[in-house]
Amino acid sequence: MNPPAQSPSSPPAPKNVVLLGSTGSIGTSTLKVVADMPDRLRLVGLAAGRNADQLALQARQCRPLALSIADPAQAQALQDQLGPGIPVYSGPQGLVRLATLPEADIVLVAIVGTAGLEPALAAIRAGKDLAIASKEILVMAGEIVMAEARRHGTRILAVDSEHSAIFQCLDGKPGQSVRRLWLTASGGPFRTIPRSEFRGITPERALRHPSWTMGPKITIDSATLFNKGLEMIEARWLFDIDIDRVQVVVHPQSIVHSLVEFIDGSILAQLSTPDMCLPIQYALTYPDRVGSHRVQTPLPALGTLTFEEPDPDRFPALNLARQAARIAGTAPAVLNAANEIAVAAFSARQLRFDQISDLVADAIGAHSPVSSPSLEEILAADQWARQFARQYRPA
Ligand code: NDP
């Protein structure tokens, strides 16, 4: 889209944002960020899965140019309710229509699961910048997504707080100047619990995260540390770095969001009170830093910040993610899909907490990986892993 001509003194026109997953945890935080700075950001498209009531409320509040919802019947009901002024699309095609809206400058994908991949690629091909919260996109198809972004000259901006922190610390420094990336992990609610107790962990306990309020899938992934494993693979692609130079350190206070260790031994970190509004704002307003009082970090009140090694015996997810990233090709898609089904089975009390990683390990072991896969081969591996996981019977 060509921006309107401006005189040197006039403020920039607001960036037009499409938000996929507007009713979720990241989605609702994004609405707050946009409401904070109406002169900088404008929501032009909103998409949700099933929560039609909340989407209708958001549409009345933001007056976007178009909406999308997963189910066509809900889309029709929403269209009747809102009138013809705002077209309501549905299904996977609806997400692609929103992601390619001619008016959109940037598309933020915050859909849980794999439904964000196709619209993300469509946005890149339509020349939109892409802000990625849905780590599944880069875990499954990082090679393809980053190659498409290079081809179309679009930016990929991290919304995950860890990757936003690394992006801010790198600040354009070349890859050769980096020794290692350090992703911080809170350690989740079971950081100090012995493995012998893992068998009895309930979904309710796993959903009580000590420092972040997030959607249910990522909260359980934070308890198993699969979230950190997925983030390792996400970092490998976002920053074009070998997986063995991506490390994890446990930092229970969740104040240091991640660190970059440079080749001269210097380590830069980004700190703040944990609040997703900050990385969301940075991704949407990049390359500018825009004033906001929403996140305050009273350093003296924080007291001590601590760091410790993750325990690979109690949390096998980190080594499984590293293994999948080293195998590469379709292996990370299998890790992601098998974990998603395992989390759903655990939430439905059909699988124990400690069996989530057993299932994922067995899926990776049983998979015949395809190297440099096409999108179709990635999606086939995803389906294979889901099938494997659904038929899984724990030893
Ligand atoms: P939530 O479960 O809170 O929200 C998920 C969102 O996805 C909802 O808006 C849901 O709609 C929507 N959705 C689900 N399926 C579809 C579909 N088929 N079409 C359109 N929309 C759909 O998740 P989070 O916000 O926590 O996480 C979203 C993504 O961001 C995940 O990939 C997560 O890993 C990542 N992330 C989250 C962080 C957080 O702090 N929460 C931090 C960093 C990354 P509905 O509710 O209407 O069904």
Side-chain angles (χ1 to χ4, degrees):
M1 198 182 78
N2 289 330
Q6 287 168 12
S7 70
S9 57
S10 67
K15 247 189 220 178
N16 286 338
V17 181
V18 165
L19 172 58
L20 308 182
S22 64
T23 49
S25 167
I26 292 287
T28 47
S29 294
T30 304
L31 257 77
K32 289 186 204 163
V33 169
V34 174
D36 282 349
M37 44 196 72
D39 52 331
R40 305 286 305 214
L41 301 169
R42 184 164 76 111
L43 281 164
V44 293
L46 299 174
R50 274 180 268 182
N51 196 339
D53 290 344
Q54 195 180 350
L55 185 60
L57 275 176
Q58 292 178 340
R60 290 200 177 90
Q61 181 192 334
C62 308
R63 305 303 302 168
L65 302 176
L67 297 176
S68 183
I69 190 153
D71 174 22
Q74 277 191 311
Q76 187 56 56
L78 208 52
Q79 189 74 78
D80 295 344
Q81 206 186 119
L82 294 171
I86 305 178
V88 185
Y89 306 121
S90 65
Q93 308 87 326
L95 293 175
V96 169
R97 285 195 80 154
L98 251 62
T100 56
L101 267 186
E103 294 83 358
D105 298 311
I106 184 164
V107 178
L108 196 165
V109 187
I111 297 178
V112 69
T114 54
L117 177 55
E118 211 188 330
L121 283 169
I124 294 172
R125 289 171 184 150
K128 317 292 184 195
D129 284 344
L130 188 67
I132 297 189
S134 305
K135 54 199 86 191
E136 297 87 344
I137 294 172
L138 289 172
V139 172
M140 290 175 76
E143 193 171 2
I144 295 177
V145 169
M146 297 310 287
E148 284 293 289
R150 279 192 297 275
R151 187 170 309 135
H152 293 273
T154 59
R155 287 187 186 125
I156 306 287
L157 296 150
V159 170
D160 232 335
S161 56
E162 293 77 359
H163 304 79
S164 175
I166 288 172
F167 183 64
Q168 293 178 59
C169 294
L170 281 174
D171 197 25
K173 302 281 184 308
Q176 310 91 282
S177 64
V178 174
R179 187 183 287 163
R180 275 178 292 209
L181 303 181
W182 287 96
L183 295 173
T184 51
S186 71
F190 310 125
R191 183 174 60 87
T192 58
I193 304 286
R195 180 149 178 103
S196 57
E197 288 181 26
F198 277 24
R199 294 172 66 92
I201 288 172
T202 59
E204 290 75 17
R205 276 184 78 193
L207 283 168
R208 257 178 258 136
H209 195 275
S211 39
W212 291 96
T213 307
M214 308 178 284
K217 157 74 170 48
I218 185 176
T219 305
I220 291 175
D221 283 347
S222 299
T224 57
L225 293 203
F226 265 106
N227 181 48
K228 210 51 55 183
L230 298 174
E231 287 177 3
M232 287 164 60
I233 304 174
E234 189 183 4
R236 181 259 171 276
W237 289 115
L238 267 177
F239 306 112
D240 191 19
I241 189 167
D242 189 274
I243 192 69
D244 290 321
R245 290 201 288 146
V246 180
Q247 300 293 330
V248 172
V249 63
V250 174
H251 166 54
Q253 297 81 18
S254 299
I255 297 294
V256 175
H257 296 305
S258 276
L259 315 92
V260 177
E261 180 179 339
F262 290 95
I263 48 174
D264 60 359
S266 183
I267 297 181
L268 295 192
Q270 185 259 337
L271 288 74
S272 78
T273 303
D275 187 327
M276 284 309 296
C277 287
L278 194 49
I280 291 169
Q281 173 179 321
Y282 193 66
L284 293 181
T285 59
Y286 182 83
D288 297 336
R289 278 205 188 263
V290 179
S292 168
H293 296 291
R294 184 174 283 284
V295 181
Q296 303 289 336
T297 307
L299 286 175
L302 294 177
T304 310
L305 301 181
T306 60
F307 300 91
E308 54 195 72
E309 286 273 11
D311 177 352
D313 295 330
R314 287 183 307 134
F315 300 102
L318 299 179
N319 283 342
L320 286 171
R322 196 175 295 285
Q323 182 192 347
R326 282 183 186 148
I327 299 170
T330 45
V334 166
L335 172 104
N336 175 61
N339 177 56
E340 202 175 305
I341 299 299
V343 169
F346 167 67
S347 304
R349 293 173 216 279
Q350 291 158 357
L351 195 71
R352 292 199 318 256
F353 183 80
D354 55 314
Q355 290 169 336
I356 296 176
S357 53
D358 295 346
L359 186 161
V360 175
D362 286 359
I364 293 174
H367 177 59
S368 305
V370 178
S371 57
S372 294
S374 64
L375 192 59
E376 291 68 33
E377 287 168 323
I378 290 169
L379 295 174
D382 173 274
Q383 286 307 314
W384 174 87
R386 285 170 199 274
Q387 186 75 2
F388 178 94
R390 286 195 188 100
Q391 290 170 353
Y392 183 76
R393 295 291 165 268

